[in-house]
Structure formats: C-alpha cells, structure tokens
Amino acid sequence: MDTILVVNSGSSSLKFQVFGIAKPTTLKRLVKGQLDGIGTQPRLRVKGSDDAVLIDQTHAPEAVGDVSAAIGVAAAWLKETQNLAPIAVGHRVVHGGPDYGRPVLVDDQVLANLARLTSLAPLHQPHNLAPIGTLLARFPKIPQVACFDTAFHRGHDPIVDHYAIPERFYAQGVRRYGFHGLSYEYVAERLREVAPGAAKGRVIIAHLGSGASMCAVLEGRSIDSTLGFTALDGLPMGTRPGQLDPGVVLHLLSEEGMTVAEVQNLLYRECGLKGLSGSSNDVRWLETSNDPRAALALNHFVYRVGLHAGMMAAALSGVDAFVFTAGIGENSVKLRARITERLAWLGAMLDPAANAVHGQEISSRESRIGLYVIPTDEELMIARHTLDVLLKRAR
C-alpha cells in the first residue's frame, strides 16, 4: 500500500503520522508518533491504527540533538519495523504569506520564500521548515507538500484583511492572514456530517488550545478570524498576549529600553496565561490551583473569548452554531461551561450532562444556537491536501 507521511515539527518535538492510500482518494491512518525531548531527553513513542503502543523508547541526547536527527530516527524506524516508505510527505507550515494560498510542492526556491516569513511566526516557521530542508537534501525525489495554516482564510473581503494604514504596506504583504486554518477546514467539513443544517449557516469555530483563535464561518467558508498579520493577535493564548495596543510595544522599546529581540521573546513566550498567572500556561494546572493569579488568567481568557465571539457574531450578522475544538475546547468541561455563559446573549444554553461527558452536541433543547465539540484533525487535512496535490500532478 502506498503511504503518505505527515510531519508537524516544533522546537523540541517531531510529530508524525502515516496514512495509507486505500483507494485513489481514501486515506487510512496507520501509525501516529512523536519524538519529543529533542536534544535533552529524546523519547520516541508510536501507536498503531488500533491505538496499541508500537514503541516507547528513549535515546541518548547526543543521538537526537536536532530536528534533522529526529527525522532520521523516525524514518529509519518506519522503514525497518513497519516497512513503510512514503511516496510523499505533507508538512504543516504556519505562515504562507501573500504568495501561497493553497498547498504547494516544495523546492529550494519555495523553501527560501517561506523562510523569509520567519519573523512573522518565529515560534513555528523555522521548526516547520527544518524537516522540509532535511528531507529535500536527503531524499530530493520524494515530493514534499507544504500545507498552510493561513490558506483557509484566503478569499476574505478586502475590508476584512486590510489594516487602516497606507495601502503600500498592504501591497507589501502587511495584512490580516488568520491562522489555524487546517484545523478550521477540518472542523468545518466534519460539521457537515455532524450537523448539516448548522454547517450551511453562520458558525463560530473556537480553536482553543495553547494557541487560540476563533473563525467566523459562513456556509463552510472563512469570512473573518481573530488572528491577523502574526499569531499574536486576538485571544490570549498559552504564552502570547492576544490583542494588544501597539502603543504597549512602543512603550517597551522607548521607555523600558528593551531590544526588538527582547520584545519578541516577551510577546511570544512570556505573556498570555503564563504571564497573567506568573506560573503556568497549562489550563489543567490553572483550573486546580488556589493561586488568585491562576484565577485571573482563566477569568481573563473566558472574558476575551466571549468578547471576540461578539466580534465574530457581528461579522456573520448572527450565529447558528458555536463549535469548540483543540486542546482546551475539546477537554475542559469547566471552561466550555463558562464560555457558554458568556454566549447567553446569543441564545446559547448548555446541556450540563452532555458537556460533562464531552458530548458531540452539548446545547440544551432550549438553546437558540447549536453548541458542538468536534475534535480537530489537522494531520488528516494535511494528508488529504498532499494526496490531492499528487493526483493533480499526475494528470
């Protein structure tokens, strides 16, 4: 069976999945793995299609010192133990900039173009691109497809994507892009199966995790998003502040004497839930903490989700459904309940029993809008896009 490898690389971890092509357009997940602790305490963990553990093995730090080495370890294991040699590799790439609005085959020039966007997504872009470069060098004949988190939001009305700054900056690519698009695309498609009626209408999808945003979806298409030029805007996140007066940045530079690099590090790594709580960006820990700063962080998060939901509702001229997804959205019973309270003015009413067991539909019969919990699957979306690119290439 031909297979597609999907790679989602971070600074210290490499997530990967392998999908078998059962029919010309049908995909079957075969393995799901992660190699984390790169450079410190490398650990390879892989599960099969039946969720059984295939390997759980630690490595010496010097043996897996970087992403390139991690790719080598994962690829060798897949080939030697599973006899899997993928015909293509699909990658999650956070930022596609103004030039890439759909999945694209990667060559050296494309890779160089994407590397120029690193300053717009410093937490993600360099780590997304590292395995692409490694595989291009080692296996130049294997097609690699970059799938962008910004692509789902392309096609917005110009008034949505413009900032109120001189037009020349928009022409240079300074515009609102939106992110988490692979997640939104999958959830929007899944909603058509879960609630076909709602999927045809006005939907707010809340991707609530360490990275958090919301998307206004009309008839399955993105029409607005809380994220903008970079992944710093909109909702507060694990370590990022969300919406911030630009004057704060000017103050940090001029009055605090911080360098650009220091400000960048602060905004990407020291703010959000971590900054407010002073201790952690892990919602599970914050929910059990007695520290008033932990409560402040969660209260702020819930308030801002409710506030930005109002913005998305305005973009849609009303709401027919609200969908929770990603780590917090899929797993936090308490925060789903608290956010729903903030949506009461839209007619949202929770079914506590359904919410407690993470039901697929958690709205009560009296609710005027549907409330849903739909686990995201960005990797499957990447595999679908990669297969589509391969099929188009073969025509």
Side-chain angles (χ1 to χ4, degrees):
M1 178 186 293
D2 288 336
T3 59
I4 290 173
L5 172 65
V6 171
V7 174
N8 186 349
S9 179
S11 60
S12 62
S13 67
L14 178 77
K15 297 178 182 178
F16 61 91
Q17 295 191 27
V18 177
F19 292 83
I21 306 173
K23 295 179 182 179
T25 58
T26 302
L27 294 165
K28 179 182 179 182
R29 198 183 325 264
L30 301 178
V31 298
K32 178 178 181 179
Q34 178 169 333
L35 204 166
D36 53 22
I38 295 173
T40 55
Q41 296 178 312
R43 182 182 179 189
L44 175 64
R45 289 173 289 177
V46 186
K47 292 184 178 181
S49 58
D50 58 356
D51 223 27
V53 176
L54 300 179
I55 186 174
D56 188 341
Q57 185 179 69
T58 57
H59 294 262
E62 61 273 15
V64 191
D66 54 25
V67 171
S68 178
I71 281 281
V73 169
W77 182 86
L78 287 169
K79 185 175 182 179
E80 293 168 8
T81 69
Q82 306 300 303
N83 195 29
L84 294 175
I87 62 170
V89 185
H91 300 264
R92 178 197 178 204
V93 178
V94 165
H95 215 307
D99 297 325
Y100 299 105
R102 62 186 64 185
V104 61
L105 274 172
V106 182
D107 56 22
D108 290 332
Q109 185 59 59
V110 171
L111 186 61
N113 294 341
L114 295 175
R116 295 190 186 101
L117 302 172
T118 292
S119 64
L120 305 186
L123 281 187
H124 303 90
Q125 199 82 352
H127 308 304
N128 296 158
L129 301 183
I132 300 179
T134 296
L135 291 172
L136 272 177
R138 293 185 182 180
F139 308 102
K141 293 184 179 181
I142 297 180
Q144 295 192 77
V145 178
C147 302
F148 304 102
D149 263 339
T150 49
F152 184 63
H153 305 291
R154 297 298 290 270
H156 285 174
D157 189 300
I159 65 170
V160 172
D161 287 347
H162 269 76
Y163 289 109
I165 57 178
E167 179 68 17
R168 68 179 184 275
F169 293 108
Y170 181 87
Q172 294 168 10
V174 182
R175 61 188 73 172
R176 298 181 71 248
Y177 290 100
F179 298 90
H180 297 135
L182 292 164
S183 174
Y184 290 131
E185 186 178 9
Y186 174 81
V187 172
E189 289 189 7
R190 183 79 180 98
L191 187 63
R192 294 192 187 104
E193 303 171 6
V194 172
K200 294 177 181 178
R202 303 162 298 181
V203 181
I204 298 174
I205 303 176
H207 178 103
L208 306 179
S210 182
S213 68
M214 284 189 287
C215 183
V217 177
L218 180 64
E219 297 178 350
R221 295 179 297 105
S222 168
I223 65 165
D224 206 342
S225 169
T226 59
L227 281 170
F229 180 56
T230 69
L232 286 172
D233 202 3
L235 304 179
M237 304 173 224
T239 61
R240 287 168 271 171
Q243 187 178 31
L244 188 72
D245 184 337
V248 174
V249 176
L250 297 178
H251 172 82
L252 296 175
L253 293 169
S254 64
E255 302 302 319
E256 296 293 325
M258 297 177 69
T259 66
V260 171
E262 288 171 338
V263 172
Q264 178 174 278
N265 184 71
L266 173 73
L267 296 180
Y268 278 98
R269 294 180 172 86
E270 300 298 330
C271 293
L273 298 179
K274 179 181 178 182
L276 281 173
S277 69
S279 55
S280 177
N281 64 333
D282 191 327
V283 165
R284 293 167 296 186
W285 186 89
L286 296 174
E287 285 184 330
T288 60
S289 174
N290 294 321
D291 189 329
R293 293 178 299 174
L296 171 64
L298 293 178
N299 291 342
H300 178 80
F301 181 77
V302 170
Y303 172 73
R304 300 302 292 187
V305 170
L307 199 67
H308 281 79
M311 294 170 61
M312 295 298 99
L316 291 162
S317 298
V319 180
D320 299 307
F322 189 96
V323 183
F324 294 92
T325 193
I328 298 170
E330 294 170 23
N331 297 299
S332 178
V333 172
K334 292 180 181 178
L335 288 192
R336 284 199 301 259
R338 293 183 61 188
I339 290 168
T340 301
E341 289 178 4
R342 285 280 176 182
L343 305 179
W345 66 279
L346 289 169
M349 295 182 67
L350 191 71
D351 180 337
N355 184 45
V357 297
H358 306 288
Q360 188 169 257
E361 182 174 359
I362 59 173
S363 48
S364 70
R365 292 182 179 180
E366 295 78 18
S367 183
R368 295 202 302 272
I369 68 173
L371 301 171
Y372 302 93
V373 179
I374 298 180
T376 192
D377 196 336
E378 295 164 315
E379 289 77 14
L380 178 56
M381 208 70 244
I382 293 169
R384 288 174 178 172
H385 283 310
T386 301
L387 178 58
D388 186 53
V389 169
L390 290 180
L391 293 174
K392 289 178 179 177
R393 185 187 185 211
R395 291 171 188 165

